[in-house]
Amino acid sequence: MRLPSTAAIVALLASSLAGCGTVNERLSAGMGDYVPQWAGGLPADAPPRAGTPQYDAYMKERERKRLLPAADREKEEQAQKGATGTISGSAVR
């Protein structure tokens, strides 16, 4: 008589752990966006998530740059680097 109640308890524990796994899977997909970069989150230059309006704009801009001739693309990249004031890799220690 003790065996059926033990089996029921084991089944209950197993199903509760399985439920936690699916909840955590759904939460972790969105929580990664809120973790700071210094704590292992997404880098600042990471592209936006698929399915968002920002992603669609990002992909359109990427396609536009891909279709530019190489000379125009290089000029545009240099202009963007000058406007943002980035530091070259050799200047960083």
Side-chain angles (χ1 to χ4, degrees):
M1 297 225 181
R2 198 123 165 95
L3 185 60
S5 63
T6 304
I9 290 173
V10 169
L12 180 65
L13 288 174
S15 65
S16 66
L17 287 176
C20 288
T22 58
V23 169
N24 289 336
E25 177 185 341
R26 292 183 186 132
L27 286 176
S28 66
M31 288 303 292
D33 296 340
Y34 302 108
V35 175
Q37 182 180 359
W38 59 265
L42 290 174
D45 61 346
R49 296 254 183 213
T52 62
Q54 294 87 1
Y55 180 78
D56 295 336
Y58 172 79
M59 292 305 288
K60 284 180 185 176
E61 178 65 17
R62 189 170 153 187
E63 181 66 15
R64 184 190 68 79
K65 286 182 181 179
R66 186 183 72 81
L67 295 174
L68 281 176
D72 293 342
R73 192 177 320 138
E74 289 174 3
K75 289 177 187 175
E76 187 175 306
E77 288 175 0
Q78 289 176 354
Q80 285 179 350
K81 286 181 182 178
T84 58
T86 57
I87 300 172
S88 67
S90 61
V92 177
R93 293 181 186 187

